[in-house]
Structure formats: structure tokens, C-alpha cells
Amino acid sequence: VIDLTRRTALAIPLAGLAVAAVPHSARAELYNDQQFPDITPHPAFAQTYREARGKFLAAARHAGAAISSQRLPALLGLDGQPLYMDFAWIGPADADVVIVSMSGTHGSEGFTGSAVQNDWLTSGNAAKLPPRVASLMVHAVNPFGFDRNLRVNENGVDLNRNFIDFSKPNLPDNPIYDAIHAQLPDIGAGHEDVIAQYNAVIAAAVVKYGEWAVFDACGRGQYRHPTGYGFGGTEAQWSSKTLVQELRRLCARARHVVYIDWHTIYPNGDGRQVFLCFNQTNDPLYRRVASWWTAQAIDRDIVNAQEGIRRPTRNGLAMWGVQRALAPRIDVAGAVVEFSCDPDGLVSSPDADERGEVWAQWLLANKDDQSLRSEFVRTFFRESAGPWRRGYQNGALAAARSTYARATVGAAVWARDNIAATPGKLLYFSAFT
Ligand SMILES: [Zn+2]
């Protein structure tokens, strides 16, 4: 558990401790693939944003998709070329149900998300869509973070905390995080002593506030500390505005959206999925999601158990932003789907979360640097979110095929139901349960 990539769920000291508690000998058996990994890559996976985009566009063309691209203004990739959020629409333009699947909301987490999109596009699925159902793939919601192997965007913002109401006079507060942040040292050169200091601050906060309160403070989003955990920004970001604008435009004729936001990473077994459904528990949309992926998969208690701790409350999730933007004519049901990537020795170290946080901050502060050190840290983040081990890649692709297939059947049923949208309660903030 590495924080940085795992931060969707957020940063967190605790899940790291749970993994660290497994003895090394036991872990070696659990993660056998890492002892003697097959590093022959699956062709759907890429090692850079540029390579991932090339594969995505080629696969989308091959599938006969209608492609549109939005360029991130002003900024360039490490290779000096422009960065884009790309959209590929497959199926009838007037589809009643659109399966929207997105990659790279958390930058480097896009390595796996992009791969499963590519795999869907190259596996003949376009020709098998049910009547009145379309697939819309959004590639690299956060292209800058994807290019730099960061979780956050060009402004250090966690996009999955950025969909709040910025017109309100007061942004959401997070007093426990304010107190923690005040104690954190400057990153400086990101040396080992800084990591130790981070660890000490978090450990002291756990003693003072309790484990879950610290987990929640670091995970729910905060709007005051641009270099801190879970910074949600002080204004709507380009990615957030562009995503909403394009979904409104492209889905204008639909009534229902199946929402899949591909993320990584929890250490629960290579390639296994954890479903974070952000519909309201037991409302009609939630029950529809349960009918696709099973009630167990999205059950709050089961997900909490998978994580080893109750999920944090959250501000400004992208899914809620999309729901608000498309309501009232279109309703949205679905989940953030996390791929689990088993940790390597570094990631599973007792200070993995703080190490990841310090390295991520260092990399953000040195975002155009191409020294060997930067390349090492970037590779670390890519491997954390899209491991090069074939065992991981095969597991993730198999799981994603099932998730897409079930969602497609669900979309067919939804279209056949022939009903108006029922968006339900629209949110900016909520507990997980
Ligand atoms: Zn994420």
C-alpha cells in the first residue's frame, strides 16, 4: 500500500500497517509472481503516457470509434509533445444507455485503466454491443499526472476531490488534517530523515485522534494545503471542467450512464478488483449496480473488510460531479473500480505511505526533471499502479473483461426497461456508508 497511487482511497497509514504485519515469508508465498516474475508485457500495457495514448487511439480507430480529443492548454509532456484527454465513442449516437469508462483520473493509475480500455477495444466487443447501448471511453482524465506518473494534476490537485461547489464562500474544512499538516516537515530533497519525520507525525496523530480519524482526515479531501494529502484545489480544474463538458455534449441523447472509473491500487491480490460504489446505499441506482457486479462486491461492510478499515468520508468525487452535471435528464450508476497491485518490498515497507507521499511531493516539485533520480521515482510509481509483471497484467485484464461484460448486460437490461432517469439525491460530500 502505497499511498500515492492508492490514494483514491486515500492515503493511508493504516492499510500499510496491515500489509506490513504479514511476515515476509508468508508474503513471498502470497506474491509468488514477484519472486520470479514473468516480465514479458501484455501488449495492452504501456510504459509511458505517450505510448498508452498511441495504443488507445489505434485500438479505438480499429474498433470504428468516433474519436475526439481535448488538449490540455499550455503544458507539454516530458517528451515536449502536447497532452490530451481523449474520447472514443462506439455504438449508436442516439444510444439510450452509455457505458462511460475512464482512465487516469489519478494520473499514473491510468497505466492499468488504459490497458483494460485497449483490451476491450481490441477484443471484438464493439461489434457485440446490445441495441441502444454505446460505449464511451475517456482516456487520461488527468493527462499531466499520467505523463509525469503523479497521482495529482499539474496544480497538485487530486481531481477526485475537486468536484465541489467552489461558488460557496467557505470551502469544506478539515481541522484534523490542518493540525497534522502544521506538523509535517518540508520535503526538501526528500531524504530518508524526512520520511521518518512524516512517519512520526502520522503516528503521533493516530495516538491523539485515533486511527480512523487520521485515515479520514488524510482521505476525505482538504482545500487549504496545496502540498498536502488529498488537496482538492481552490477552483475547478481543466480536467474537471473538460470531463463534465464533454460528457454533457456526447451523452446529450442518452438517459442512463453506466459509470466505471478505473483506478489502482490495493494490495488484495494481483489484479483483483475492489468496487467503490458511490451511489446512495440501497437507492434504485445502487440496486442496479448490485445487479451487475453483485451485492457482495459493492457491500460497504465487505469493502471495508477488504481494506481493513472503514472507508473515509469524501468531498468532491468525480462521480458526483458527473451526476450533477447530467441530471435531471440522465442518471448515473456505477463505481470507482480499483485494481489491486500486490506490493513489492519497498511498497510494503512499514513507512510505505509516508515514503510514497514524500516521493510524490518531491516529484511534483521537480515535475520537469529528467534526472536518473526522477526516472527512478517515476518508474516506482508506474510499477505501483501498473506493474510490469505478466501475472498482474493477466489478472487485471481478466477481471476487467468480466466487469465490462457484466456492465454491458446491465446496460442492455436498462435500455430494455425503457424508463426515464431517476438521478436521486445529488451530493458534494458523503460518508461511504
Ligand atoms: Zn485512484
Side-chain angles (χ1 to χ4, degrees):
V1 168
I2 193 189
D3 174 23
L4 16 90
T5 40
R6 197 169 63 136
R7 234 103 92 129
T8 312
L10 306 251
I12 310 340
L14 327 165
L17 297 177
V19 168
V22 178
H24 270 285
S25 54
R27 244 183 284 152
E29 291 201 24
L30 273 172
Y31 309 142
N32 190 43
D33 180 54
Q34 290 182 225
Q35 286 186 296
F36 304 104
D38 177 355
I39 56 169
T40 311
H42 189 286
F45 278 76
Q47 286 188 286
T48 64
Y49 158 80
R50 193 67 58 197
E51 184 188 4
R53 180 174 191 249
K55 285 173 184 281
F56 177 77
L57 293 177
R61 275 186 216 108
H62 173 78
I67 299 168
S68 53
S69 301
Q70 297 293 323
R71 180 177 169 181
L72 176 66
L75 298 164
L76 298 173
L78 286 171
D79 61 1
Q81 299 301 307
L83 298 166
Y84 298 90
M85 190 189 310
D86 295 299
F87 299 81
W89 179 284
I90 302 101
D94 63 346
D96 191 49
V97 183
V98 185
I99 302 167
V100 174
S101 62
M102 324 191 319
S103 64
T105 302
H106 280 150
S108 59
E109 295 178 24
F111 284 106
T112 299
S114 174
V116 304
Q117 290 176 321
N118 294 341
D119 183 65
W120 188 92
L121 288 165
T122 54
S123 299
N125 294 298
K128 293 187 281 189
L129 282 171
R132 303 176 66 221
V133 172
S135 169
L136 173 59
M137 296 202 164
V138 186
H139 189 263
V141 172
N142 170 11
F144 186 91
F146 199 159
D147 185 73
R148 301 310 202 273
N149 296 17
L150 292 163
R151 169 190 170 89
V152 297
N153 79 345
E154 56 276 13
N155 299 317
V157 173
D158 180 337
L159 295 174
N160 214 21
R161 302 294 179 278
N162 184 239
F163 290 78
I164 66 165
D165 185 355
F166 287 105
S167 70
K168 289 259 174 66
N170 298 310
L171 300 180
D173 63 2
N174 187 341
I176 293 180
Y177 184 75
D178 291 343
I180 292 170
H181 189 84
Q183 303 295 317
L184 293 173
D186 288 337
I187 289 298
H191 289 153
E192 288 295 312
D193 56 339
V194 176
I195 294 164
Q197 290 168 40
Y198 258 67
N199 259 323
V201 171
I202 297 297
V206 167
V207 170
K208 183 168 183 182
Y209 301 106
E211 190 176 51
W212 187 81
V214 172
F215 180 64
D216 181 61
C218 293
R220 65 160 56 193
Q222 54 84 16
Y223 299 86
R224 287 187 186 156
H225 313 285
T227 62
Y229 286 79
F231 178 55
T234 53
E235 60 185 2
Q237 299 295 293
W238 174 85
S239 285
S240 307
K241 292 186 284 193
T242 301
L243 177 66
V244 160
Q245 164 202 304
E246 293 300 291
L247 290 185
R248 269 189 181 141
R249 181 175 71 81
L250 292 162
C251 300
R253 297 164 76 179
R255 286 190 292 187
H256 312 293
V257 163
V258 173
Y259 181 96
I260 305 172
D261 190 7
W262 296 117
H263 285 247
T264 41
I265 177 181
Y266 298 87
N268 290 323
D270 256 358
R272 288 176 60 188
Q273 296 173 128
V274 177
F275 291 80
L276 306 178
C277 174
F278 293 108
N279 288 104
Q280 292 304 284
T281 306
N282 288 325
D283 82 357
L285 295 169
Y286 179 94
R287 292 200 298 273
R288 197 171 278 278
V289 176
S291 76
W292 311 333
W293 297 324
T294 76
Q296 290 81 1
I298 64 170
D299 181 88
R300 311 310 198 199
D301 292 334
I302 290 175
V303 172
N304 287 335
Q306 286 173 318
E307 285 304 298
I309 187 166
R310 181 160 58 94
R311 307 313 303 146
T313 48
R314 287 192 181 82
N315 280 295
L317 293 181
M319 179 167 158
W320 297 335
V322 170
Q323 288 182 308
R324 290 193 303 271
L326 298 181
R329 223 174 41 71
I330 302 172
D331 55 13
V332 179
V336 162
V337 186
E338 302 273 0
F339 288 102
S340 175
C341 309
D342 283 344
D344 61 21
L346 187 58
V347 177
S348 63
S349 66
D351 57 4
D353 290 310
E354 280 59 66
R355 181 177 304 276
E357 180 67 20
V358 169
W359 283 11
Q361 285 192 34
W362 179 83
L363 193 57
L364 180 63
N366 297 276
K367 52 184 182 266
D368 295 329
D369 184 61
Q370 300 201 48
S371 68
L372 277 176
R373 186 183 188 207
S374 300
E375 290 307 315
F376 174 82
V377 174
R378 280 190 197 101
T379 301
F380 166 80
F381 286 128
R382 194 209 66 216
E383 279 297 299
S384 300
W388 211 235
R389 302 186 305 278
R390 189 59 177 260
Y392 166 78
Q393 297 179 342
N394 289 347
L397 292 173
R401 283 173 199 147
S402 168
T403 297
Y404 269 126
R406 285 167 171 270
T408 304
V409 171
V413 170
W414 214 350
R416 229 162 35 221
D417 288 348
N418 193 27
I419 55 176
T422 54
K425 198 166 154 196
L426 300 173
L427 300 172
Y428 287 94
F429 172 86
S430 180
F432 181 64
T433 50

